[in-house]
Every structure is written in structure tokens, then in C-alpha cells.
Amino acid sequence: MSKIKPSKGAPYARIMGVGGYRPTRVVPNEVILETIDSSDEWIRSRSGIATRHWASDEETVSMMSVEAAGKAIADAGIDPDQIGGVIVSTVSHFKQTPAVATDIAHRVGAGKPAAFDISAGCAGFGYGLTLAKGMIVEGSAEYVLVIGVERLSDLTDLEDRATAFLFGDGAGAVVVGPAQEPAIGPTVWGSEGDKSETIKQTVAWNDFHIGDVSNLPLNERGKVKFPAITQEGQAVFRWAVFEMAKVAQQALEAAGISPEDLDVFIPHQANMRIIDSMVKTLKLPDHVTVARDVETTGNTSAASIPLAMERLLATGQAKSGDTALIIGFGAGLVYAATVVTLP
């Protein structure tokens, strides 16, 4: 018989507050067209993107996260020193160690929480939310700060016609805390590693570091290109539309609700065509509000779902207590979907 005492966590967990940060610089498609042979009409028709935000030198991963986190903490109505965990999902913090979560925890005044980074691409927010829920129910933290943050402009090849227009920068954060009734449903998550080549970094950091540039890609000026994100657009599109609609349906079933019970749908803001196709495949009713933040924010990977959530609530398109389906999917290929009650 085990001598370990049972955990004394909360019965359930919920999102208590949300915050976002978008860099001040707004970049229209015309800027992207300076380096690729395309048109504004083509970019809009392929992705739905008209503008995106790019960070300045001062708008670091840490700075953007602190700004978003501060808003989420205030929205939740708690003191920073009550936070027992900080989870940051990002692929664009270039220091291998220490985790940027530790710096963010210190800068928001969180005391001595558990703090760590995760790398789950565009599904990272869903992964972090699931881990936070587990920490609260298990009892190792009362409140957990979950942040999705990216500076994808640092990983964008502006000469790549297939991806140059896609990516933006920003940070989204939520505070997850205890609840007396279910407010974050079961997570349907997973990976398909056999498709890992469809979204990837062009060059490994160690290859870039070694100094032998003979096998590294060069730009039009003959200089070695900085590592960037590349993808097989059609393969990713088909996977997202058909396979992720199935995952979204599984998340609804796991939460015990139907599309008619939904108020809001917040998919990863990858591409407007993907979003519209998923809405059609899921047969969402007309009353369901659909996040389409991608038009003015671009694809911000792990930050896209909390940023879209924050905007919907701030503009009144969604309200506190609404039932929302969220789903993230991306490099790995990885995915995570769940149903939540909005803060």
C-alpha cells in the first residue's frame, strides 16, 4: 500500500484572464512584395492576410510576454505572487538555456514559480493549457500563467514566395486557476512525426554554427541565409482541413457537446482558407462566432489562439462565459484541441 498522500488540488480548472501584445509596427502586403514576385490580391486570396505585426529590436520575446502576461494577470484579478507556474510556448527564443519562462516569471513578479518553455509549434498554447490544467487539479500550483509568444519575423525567409507573407509576431497569455465546475474540457492531442518534413526549419543551428557554408542555402546576394521556417503548403493545407476537422470533432465529443452548443470557434490563425474550410467541414451553425484574426495579425504560431481570444473578447464579438472550441496544429506535425469556457 502506498504511503504517498493524495494530491489536494482543485476539482477543475478554468481560464480566468487573458492578455495580448502586438508589436507597434504594422506591415502591409506591399512591404512583402518588395522581395517576392507576387501581388496583394494573390496573398489575400491564398491566405486572407492583409497585414501583420513585426517586432522591433526592443520588442523581444520576453518583453512581449511580460506585456501580455501583465494584462492577463490584471484581467484575472490576482496578485502576481500567487502564480505557481509559468509555461511559455515558443520556437523563436534563440537562447537554448535558460528558459525564457524564468525571466518572464521574475519580471512579472511571480516569486518562485515552476517555470519552463515548451516547443510544440502552433499547437503550443493548447499543450501549455493542458499542462496548466493538470498542475492545478494535481495541486502543485493554484494559478498558472500560460504564454504563447513568437518573433517569427526572425525566422522568415523574405525571398521565399510560399512563406514570406505568412508570419507575424506577438504574445498572448492566459491565467489558469481553480474552478468548481468543468471549464476546460478533455484535450485531444497528438503528433504525426512521419509528416515532420512538411513544416521545418531550413538549417539546424549546429550546421549554421560549424562554419562550413558549402551546403547551406544562399540568398540572392550570395550570403548564407539565416535559418528560416519552410513548409509544403499544399500538404499542410490538406492535413489541416481534413485531419484537424476530425480532431476538432473529437474534442467536441470528449467535452460532451455538439456544434450547436458552441458560441465561439478559435482555431489556430494559420490561413483564412483553412479556417473557412474547417467551419464548413464541422458544419458550424451561423450563430457561432469564428476568430479570423489572421487577416491583420498573420500567423503567430503559439501566440495565435490567445491573441485571437483576447481580440474577440475586447471587441465584444465574444463574451465571458461563452463556450469555445480551440484547436492548434503545426510543425511536428502536432495538434491539440479542447473546449473551454471563456474568461
Side-chain angles (χ1 to χ4, degrees), residues 102-121:
T102 59
D103 178 57
I104 295 166
H106 171 69
R107 293 176 63 184
V108 301
K112 299 180 180 180
F116 56 95
D117 299 349
I118 59 175
S119 177

Side-chain angles (χ1 to χ4, degrees), residues 114-255:
F116 56 95
D117 299 349
I118 59 175
S119 177
C122 305
F125 177 74
Y127 274 53
L129 187 65
T130 303
L131 294 172
K133 172 186 173 183
M135 292 168 70
I136 291 161
V137 173
E138 185 270 341
S140 61
E142 185 176 11
Y143 300 101
V144 179
L145 181 62
V146 180
I147 301 169
V149 57
E150 300 293 1
R151 274 182 51 122
L152 293 182
S153 57
D154 291 335
L155 288 168
T156 298
D157 180 355
L158 293 178
E159 296 173 353
D160 181 0
R161 189 173 184 271
T163 62
F165 57 89
L166 287 176
F167 302 119
D169 304 336
V174 298
V175 171
V176 183
Q180 295 304 310
E181 59 182 14
I184 300 175
T187 300
V188 178
W189 57 353
S191 64
E192 298 184 29
D194 60 315
K195 300 179 180 66
S196 62
E197 291 295 301
T198 56
I199 306 175
K200 64 181 181 179
Q201 183 173 307
T202 53
V203 180
W205 294 114
N206 58 327
D207 291 339
F208 189 77
H209 171 72
I210 289 170
D212 179 5
V213 301
S214 58
N215 294 318
L216 299 183
L218 304 178
N219 62 23
E220 293 179 350
R221 298 176 300 280
K223 295 184 180 297
V224 176
K225 287 185 177 182
F226 192 74
I229 297 173
T230 186
Q231 68 177 31
E232 298 174 17
Q234 287 302 314
V236 173
F237 180 88
R238 288 192 297 269
W239 177 78
V241 169
F242 297 108
E243 297 304 318
M244 292 304 97
K246 296 176 186 177
V247 171
Q249 182 61 48
Q250 291 170 15
L252 290 174
E253 293 170 358

Side-chain angles (χ1 to χ4, degrees), residues 54-123:
W54 283 355
S56 65
D57 290 344
E58 292 74 26
E59 291 169 315
T60 64
V61 165
S62 182
M63 175 270 185
M64 293 190 293
S65 297
V66 170
E67 290 292 322
K71 295 175 184 177
I73 293 168
D75 192 42
I78 66 168
D79 294 326
D81 60 8
Q82 293 179 270
I83 295 171
V86 177
I87 303 171
V88 177
S89 177
T90 185
V91 299
S92 48
H93 173 59
F94 295 150
K95 284 187 178 180
Q96 193 72 38
T97 191
V100 72
T102 59
D103 178 57
I104 295 166
H106 171 69
R107 293 176 63 184
V108 301
K112 299 180 180 180
F116 56 95
D117 299 349
I118 59 175
S119 177
C122 305

